[in-house]
Amino acid sequence: MTLSRAQLLVLVAFSIPVAIELRVLFGFFGIDLPLVAVVAFEAVFLLLIAVAYMVGAEPKSATKH
Amino acid sequence: MATFVDRYPDEAAVVKACLTVSFTALAIGAFFGLVQALHRTDYFRFISSVDYYTVLTGHGVLLALVFTIFFLVGLFTWAVVQSLERPMPDIRLTWAWFGLTTTGAVFAAVAILAGLIPSIDMSADVLYTFYAPLQAHPLFYIGLAMFIVGTWLAGADWFLAYRDWRGDNPDERIPLQTFMVLTTMLMWYLSTLGVAVSVVVFLIPWSFGLVETVNPLLTRTLFWYFGHPVVYFWLMPAYLMWYTVLPKLAGGRLFSDPLARVVFVLFLLLSTPVGIHHQYLDPGIAEGFKFIAMTNTMFLLLPSLLTAFTVVASVEHGARQRGGKGYIKWLGALPWRDPAFTGMALAGAMFAAGGFSGMINAGMNINYLIHNTLWVPGHFHLTVGTAVALTMMAGSYWLVPQLTGKRLYSRPIGLLQVVMWFVGMVFMSNAMHRAGLVGIPRRTAEPQYQSFDFNAVIGTVGELQAQIALGGTLLFLSVVLFVFNILLSAIEDPIENPVDDSLPAPLSGASGSPRVLDDLRLWTAIAVVLVILAYTLPLASIVGDAGWFGNVPGVPVWVSANVEALGDLLREVVA
């Protein structure tokens, strides 16, 4: 799967409400998720998106022509 | 291929003027929003907590009324002209309503902003909800009255254009965009009767001292008679763009023209007889009337859900035309690089969240939990603050090049701007909703009570404050980027074809749908009957209890000299 820069930006944006609401979701089950866990989740998520972007990116030579 | 400005240069000039006023109000209002966010959260205070209410009123009026409605009148003029394919009947009338509306808005803004200058004995710190007993300077009410009359004249202008078109096309279906404009304006005429009566009959004579007292519940009820339909007046331009522009930007076509017409008819019918749902905690209105308002409000979910279906189906069609496949993967085929598309899509997504929190507001019993808390601004920053505002900004990236004949200065900056708005609003509105759930009040510069701590259910109140301050800052930066991008676009060199402004025909056109959908007289008559049923008895009861002019002398916010007299008045009102 190739990700464009615009798609990358939108995915990063969508990860933020997911991360924020993660604590609420866990709260439904009586688990008090600490803030640092949310930050770690977001960091891992961003890392995965970045890897997906770099793996899927076309090599530079392919875009020159 | 000629664009709008080439075909209709006079109309393009009016639309540009409307958008200029709109974006000026957006810039000032957004700055006031930043001031509020930082002041309330105690991160940065450079105004007094007394001036906070001036800033709060300015933020509400400039954004909720001036930014949105000037964008609306510009967009609707564009929509009528381009869908009827003819110029306005008399451009002098068009400029006249623009002049009247602008003068009214300036009067109201001057009355509000004068509150920041102690040497001027004028103020209008009555908040966006400008009902009694808080009393503004007369200039504020006069400005509002001129503003409303200006919008009425704008509507008359569009109806005249439609009448001319109908004369030449007696058997044609009303073009969809014009149909949307006309139904929205019929709703507006019906709903603004309340605020017009409130301002002209009660508030202006009262602010001039011609009558000494006022009936606060009557002016509140008349305000909310208008105050909920105005929400749909803001929203309908966004719907117009979601239905007619977004599918095109996605690469497809509108899924169903008849469904779009049904939605706008439903909004005409159902928008007005619901205002009492803002008054669930008001004494003096029987619970039964509130229950009726709640039921009517829940019916309003229907056109919103129809819209969600139709617009998403249209966008999916566009994605599949671009090669998108699968149940979810088609999302990747959408033109996310286009700020106009991305902004409108993100706005629509957040509107879903705003709709769900609105159901909480509308429920009579559960409303008690969040009434007058930060939950409420959290809700309307998702609806008017994102569904409407973000759609208007994103739509401008497609609309402005048509009006100027110049290309957009930077699409990447536009994309960053709309995404930044989305992220900022996620932070801010999420925190506001959660803060509201623990009872943190709205409309105050000093939200903390003495000897009492709010306890957040999840996380801490400090985290919520940080989210609000961060979100407010991102939103302000987003507006700076928007204004910067539009201003630089205005000084580009004109080019021949700055944007593809053609709109494709719907997949399912109007021809196969019942002609009764276009019967505007019938729908208006039903809407009037529904309003009479919902409001006659409550209003009769309110007037019967305290009379037309009540017995409350009011709290003039612009009398700065005699604090003791003001205290006496307050005690009298409370008593």
Side-chain angles (χ1 to χ4, degrees):
Chain A
M1 186 181 70
T2 54
L3 276 178
S4 70
R5 270 188 284 186
Q7 288 170 327
L8 178 77
L9 189 64
V10 172
L11 268 180
V12 169
F14 265 99
S15 74
I16 291 169
V18 173
I20 287 176
E21 292 297 345
L22 206 60
R23 298 174 88 188
V24 178
L25 179 69
F26 275 78
F28 286 145
F29 301 102
I31 301 167
D32 192 3
L33 205 63
L35 185 61
V36 67
V38 176
V39 173
F41 167 85
E42 178 67 9
V44 169
F45 192 86
L46 292 181
L47 189 68
L48 287 175
I49 296 175
V51 168
Y53 174 70
M54 285 191 287
V55 168
E58 293 176 353
K60 275 186 179 175
S61 58
T63 58
K64 276 187 179 171
H65 306 290
Chain B
M1 187 175 67
T3 192
F4 187 83
V5 66
D6 304 315
R7 284 174 279 148
Y8 308 105
D10 293 341
E11 286 70 16
V14 179
V15 179
K16 273 191 288 187
C18 293
L19 298 193
T20 303
V21 178
S22 171
F23 298 154
T24 305
L26 172 67
I28 302 169
F31 176 67
F32 282 179
L34 176 68
V35 174
Q36 281 171 253
L38 297 179
H39 187 97
R40 250 196 83 113
T41 52
D42 216 8
Y43 274 91
F44 180 57
R45 291 187 164 202
F46 68 93
I47 58 168
S48 74
S49 285
V50 173
D51 284 341
Y52 176 90
Y53 299 96
T54 308
V55 171
L56 177 58
T57 307
H59 178 71
V61 171
L62 288 174
L63 291 187
L65 292 179
V66 182
F67 160 57
T68 54
I69 293 180
F70 269 95
F71 189 92
L72 176 147
V73 291
L75 180 78
F76 278 12
T77 304
W78 166 84
V80 167
V81 169
Q82 77 92 29
S83 66
L84 297 181
E85 296 179 341
R86 58 173 57 212
M88 297 305 289
D90 186 345
I91 200 70
R92 290 171 301 178
L93 173 62
T94 311
W95 278 114
W97 61 249
F98 170 77
L100 185 62
T101 315
T102 305
T103 308
V106 169
F107 280 5
V110 165
I112 295 167
L113 298 177
L116 293 171
I117 305 167
S119 57
I120 303 176
D121 199 14
M122 179 191 286
S123 174
D125 300 350
V126 290
L127 312 188
Y128 153 72
T129 49
F130 46 85
Y131 38 69
L134 289 181
Q135 188 184 60
H137 191 276
L139 188 68
F140 176 74
Y141 299 120
I142 291 169
L144 286 177
M146 292 169 67
F147 182 75
I148 297 287
V149 173
T151 62
W152 289 351
L153 288 177
D157 201 14
W158 302 323
F159 270 96
L160 287 173
Y162 165 66
R163 192 187 63 174
D164 289 353
W165 174 87
R166 178 53 85 197
D168 296 339
N169 302 274
D171 299 320
E172 293 285 316
R173 300 298 294 265
I174 306 173
L176 182 59
Q177 288 192 327
T178 298
F179 180 86
M180 292 170 163
V181 170
L182 300 183
T183 46
T184 302
M185 281 314 295
L186 289 169
M187 181 270 287
W188 182 243
Y189 284 127
L190 184 60
S191 65
T192 44
L193 285 177
V195 75
V197 169
S198 175
V199 169
V200 175
V201 178
F202 300 110
L203 299 179
I204 289 178
W206 177 57
S207 65
F208 272 115
L210 300 175
V211 293
E212 290 185 357
T213 58
V214 72
N215 180 344
L217 184 56
L218 181 58
T219 63
R220 275 172 72 90
T221 306
L222 290 172
F223 176 85
W224 286 121
Y225 172 90
F226 140 91
H228 196 76
V230 75
V231 167
Y232 298 105
F233 198 54
W234 302 327
L235 198 57
M236 290 306 101
Y239 271 41
L240 185 146
M241 286 195 277
W242 292 348
Y243 273 107
T244 64
V245 178
L246 187 59
K248 176 240 170 43
L249 296 177
R253 295 153 67 185
L254 172 61
F255 182 72
S256 169
D257 172 302
L259 262 182
R261 287 176 201 254
V262 167
V263 164
F264 275 74
V265 166
L266 285 172
F267 277 119
L268 166 60
L269 298 183
L270 298 170
S271 293
T272 310
V274 298
I276 288 176
H277 76 223
H278 288 260
Q279 297 177 276
Y280 286 149
L281 287 183
D282 280 15
I285 300 177
E287 294 293 293
F289 299 137
K290 295 174 182 173
F291 184 82
I292 291 170
M294 176 182 74
T295 311
N296 291 345
T297 309
M298 294 302 176
F299 278 121
L300 272 169
L301 290 171
L302 180 62
S304 293
L305 293 173
L306 284 173
T307 299
F309 169 77
T310 313
V311 173
V312 172
S314 308
V315 168
E316 182 184 344
H317 170 72
R320 295 196 187 281
Q321 295 300 303
R322 298 165 62 91
K325 299 206 183 315
Y327 288 115
I328 299 293
K329 276 184 76 176
W330 59 266
L331 286 166
L334 290 168
W336 296 108
R337 205 173 291 180
D338 181 354
F341 171 81
T342 303
M344 286 193 214
L346 294 176
M350 291 201 94
F351 185 53
F356 290 129
S357 72
M359 288 164 67
I360 308 296
N361 302 345
M364 245 176 98
N365 49 356
I366 203 164
N367 177 283
Y368 298 155
L369 178 70
I370 48 85
H371 196 91
N372 230 8
T373 68
L374 261 189
W375 171 285
V376 180
H379 160 74
F380 65 65
H381 277 89
L382 285 179
T383 50
V384 63
T386 300
V388 175
L390 184 54
T391 299
M392 288 179 172
M393 288 187 280
S396 299
Y397 292 136
W398 182 75
L399 188 62
V400 169
Q402 296 179 43
L403 303 171
T404 58
K406 300 168 182 176
R407 70 178 187 93
L408 181 67
Y409 173 70
S410 169
R411 280 159 62 102
I413 290 176
L415 185 62
L416 179 66
Q417 182 264 317
V418 296
V419 170
M420 191 183 279
W421 187 275
F422 175 84
V423 173
M425 197 56 84
V426 163
F427 278 120
M428 194 176 83
S429 71
N430 172 278
M432 284 177 157
H433 279 96
R434 287 164 61 194
L437 284 176
V438 296
I440 297 178
R442 65 185 283 212
R443 289 172 163 161
T444 174
E446 308 291 344
Q448 187 56 272
Y449 296 111
Q450 283 187 336
S451 309
F452 175 80
D453 286 325
F454 292 106
N455 289 312
V457 179
I458 292 166
T460 64
V461 170
E463 287 169 26
L464 298 180
Q465 306 274 51
Q467 260 187 241
I468 291 173
L470 173 62
T473 306
L474 288 174
L475 291 167
F476 174 70
L477 291 175
S478 174
V479 169
V480 170
L481 286 181
F482 172 74
V483 172
F484 171 76
N485 210 357
I486 293 292
L487 275 178
L488 288 180
S489 302
I491 56 172
E492 289 277 317
D493 291 328
I495 57 174
E496 193 173 335
N497 188 20
V499 66
D500 174 12
D501 62 356
S502 62
L503 293 174
L507 283 170
S508 167
S511 56
S513 65
R515 293 194 75 90
V516 71
L517 279 176
D518 285 8
D519 191 343
L520 299 178
R521 286 193 181 90
L522 171 69
W523 303 124
T524 307
I526 296 174
V528 170
V529 169
L530 289 175
V531 166
I532 290 171
L533 289 175
Y535 269 98
T536 306
L537 291 177
L539 284 174
S541 166
I542 290 166
V543 174
D545 284 346
W548 288 102
F549 290 95
N551 51 14
V552 173
V555 183
V557 295
W558 84 91
V559 176
S560 53
N562 195 337
V563 176
E564 277 185 24
L566 203 59
D568 291 342
L569 276 175
L570 272 173
R571 275 188 289 278
E572 197 172 333
V573 169
V574 171

